[in-house]
Amino acid sequence: MREKEAVEERRRRVAEAEKERYAARLAGLPWEQLLAETPFERWTPSPPFPPAAFRRAAVRRVHQACRELRDLGPKPRKPAARKVLKSLVLWFNTADQAAGRVIETEEREDICLVLEELAHVAGHPSLVMEADDRREW
């Protein structure tokens, strides 16, 4: 029993450390860093991940949304940021359907993480929940 409790405690500590690392990432995340990163890099090989063309298009579309949000200025109005995030989610809905429903659990988690980062850097983290309501994947 003690061994099981020790394993659970280790898992809890690892999860808490990961949560702290992610909070630190969000706290200092600028647009330039998001644009320099390549989201969805782990989506290889295909299968099991979506085709490479889908991944490349998704990266381009995320970077486009990032530039659009950045161009709104340092404190974009919430409706303007909402419009950009909504457009990105709708793009994923359409692209997923056109590709034969290739977005599964791992891809969904990665996309939601990107949406969270975009909303956070835009100064409107609450928009993530709205974006989640619009997704079909």
Side-chain angles (χ1 to χ4, degrees), residues 20-101:
E20 289 174 11
R21 276 192 297 277
Y22 186 63
R25 171 180 164 77
L26 287 179
L29 192 59
W31 292 119
E32 291 71 28
Q33 182 176 340
L34 283 176
L35 285 166
E37 294 174 351
T38 305
F40 320 129
E41 280 188 305
R42 71 185 189 111
W43 290 7
T44 57
S46 174
F49 291 103
F54 182 92
R55 184 183 67 79
R56 286 189 303 270
V59 169
R60 283 191 305 271
R61 187 59 186 88
V62 165
H63 283 165
Q64 177 186 339
C66 187
R67 285 188 299 276
E68 291 171 5
L69 287 165
R70 180 195 62 194
D71 292 348
L72 293 173
K75 295 189 179 196
R77 295 179 43 88
K78 194 171 189 176
R82 177 183 291 119
K83 183 179 178 181
V84 173
L85 291 174
K86 178 182 177 183
S87 175
L88 180 58
V89 170
L90 295 178
W91 181 90
F92 274 107
N93 289 347
T94 302
D96 183 42
Q97 183 177 11
R101 301 286 183 205

Side-chain angles (χ1 to χ4, degrees), residues 101-117:
R101 301 286 183 205
V102 295
I103 297 175
E104 296 185 6
T105 302
E106 290 181 60
E107 295 85 4
R108 183 178 307 111
E109 290 172 356
D110 291 348
I111 295 166
C112 288
L113 187 67
V114 166
L115 290 169
E116 181 179 351
E117 290 176 347

